[in-house]
Amino acid sequence: MAGCLRDGRTIGLRMSQRFYLHWLRENGCDAGTAVRADELDPAIRAKVMELAGDSGEVSVRLPYFEKKEWRKREKILRTLEFARRGDLIFPLLSPAMELRNAAAYLALADPVWMNAPTVTDLNYFPIWQNVSMTLQARLREWIPVEYFCDSTRYENRSMGYTLVLYQAARVCHGRPRGDFTYDLRDYPVCQNTIEQATKMTGLRLHSLLEAIEERLLKEEKPDLARRYSPIWHEDVVVAVRQKPRLFIQLLTAESKFINALVELGLNRTSAGLHRFSKLANQALRKVCGMDLRHLGVRALEETTKVLSGG
């Protein structure tokens, strides 16, 4: 009898355990709302309590839900797996859901984004121009790093030369009428765009090829290293200009994503978020054969730094 009482008391204590709930939805928001375990949604309660253990107060962050998803939330929540980092319990999401979720919590709830300039503000163009130029530079660092994590990929010289020139390419400074990326409307020709992006890239390209040659020599691949010798930097430009399809595809993905992000910054609504998610997923889900939607999350974080003046 005493054991039953102790078990009942333990269960009661666990059910009274406090959590801080963060849950952004189209029809509401919990921003650190204090809830007891027995007030958590039944679909996630057991998983959350298992991860929480006997810890003190723990935060729980749930993914953004649109109104139509809210009506079937129990079914969706039951499919989620959770993890814990420090005092935060969070869901493990698919790349598409992770990108949308990150965008939602920033565009719809973060003060930095909510105070971002709109088209009627004097600072509209310079601030979003800074965002665009920063993201162009970051994507040109991140994408080649992702692709060349395996150095055997340098053996595909068509892709290799394209990515190296993409990394060296000039960023687009935009135009005050609202264009923040390269104009690719004449795709797949885009000769003017290719020339603008690849002119005066010699020094940068030479430096990148030097680093690649050094890496390949250290990995005892001398024949492949010679193919990326800095003395061939002009030939790299010529080769890509003659067969620019892959280069244009990279610029297209970059432009589509950045334009969608700027549009989200100007239309911070559920509809704007839905459109961003669609366009961003299309842009990043298959770049050079890779799913790079996780880079979209990094780009959103980078945008927040720029908007905050960091």
Side-chain angles (χ1 to χ4, degrees), residues 34-247:
V35 296
R36 298 189 311 273
D38 60 358
E39 294 175 314
L40 290 171
D41 194 293
I44 64 168
R45 185 183 300 143
K47 296 176 183 178
V48 169
M49 291 181 68
E50 181 180 356
L51 287 169
D54 295 325
S55 302
E57 297 171 344
V58 176
S59 293
V60 178
R61 181 183 289 261
L62 296 179
Y64 172 78
F65 275 15
E66 296 178 343
K67 286 181 180 177
K68 63 180 181 180
E69 293 169 325
W70 180 252
R71 293 192 291 269
K72 50 184 179 181
R73 63 187 178 279
E74 182 178 355
K75 180 179 178 182
I76 297 173
L77 289 173
R78 287 191 185 281
T79 66
L80 297 179
E81 295 299 325
F82 288 81
R84 178 174 176 178
R85 185 185 302 118
D87 291 330
L88 176 65
I89 294 173
F90 57 94
L92 301 174
L93 304 174
S94 68
M97 286 187 68
E98 184 66 40
L99 181 54
R100 187 189 72 160
N101 192 57
Y105 272 91
L106 288 172
L108 305 184
D110 190 293
V112 171
W113 279 73
M114 296 173 75
N115 292 321
T118 61
V119 290
T120 58
D121 294 324
L122 292 176
N123 290 325
Y124 159 71
F125 179 74
I127 287 180
W128 287 109
Q129 177 193 44
N130 192 12
V131 168
S132 174
M133 291 174 64
T134 299
L135 293 186
Q136 289 176 65
R138 294 294 180 270
L139 288 169
R140 293 174 196 188
E141 294 171 9
W142 298 339
I143 293 175
V145 168
E146 292 275 337
Y147 186 81
F148 292 122
C149 63
D150 178 357
S151 64
T152 61
R153 287 179 170 174
Y154 284 110
E155 294 172 5
N156 182 344
R157 276 189 287 156
S158 178
M159 183 67 80
Y161 287 175
T162 296
L163 276 164
V164 175
L165 185 57
Y166 171 68
Q167 192 171 2
R170 295 159 56 87
V171 301
C172 177
H173 290 249
R175 289 174 290 277
R177 63 186 176 89
D179 292 332
F180 294 100
T181 58
Y182 283 115
D183 184 356
L184 297 162
R185 283 174 292 188
D186 59 343
Y187 180 83
V189 182
C190 303
Q191 290 302 323
N192 291 335
T193 301
I194 296 168
E195 290 177 9
Q196 289 176 41
T198 59
K199 68 180 180 181
M200 294 188 292
T201 55
L203 288 176
R204 171 71 171 151
L205 188 56
H206 192 280
S207 176
L208 290 170
L209 289 170
E210 251 183 359
I212 294 170
E213 182 184 40
E214 183 179 350
R215 173 185 174 182
L216 294 173
L217 286 173
K218 284 182 178 178
E219 294 182 10
E220 300 182 349
K221 298 175 181 176
D223 292 339
L224 189 56
R226 278 194 292 272
R227 301 296 183 181
Y228 288 88
S229 171
I231 64 173
W232 305 120
H233 72 275
E234 292 182 356
D235 297 285
V236 169
V237 177
V238 171
V240 174
R241 284 182 172 179
Q242 288 179 342
K243 295 183 178 180
R245 181 178 60 84
L246 294 173
F247 185 76

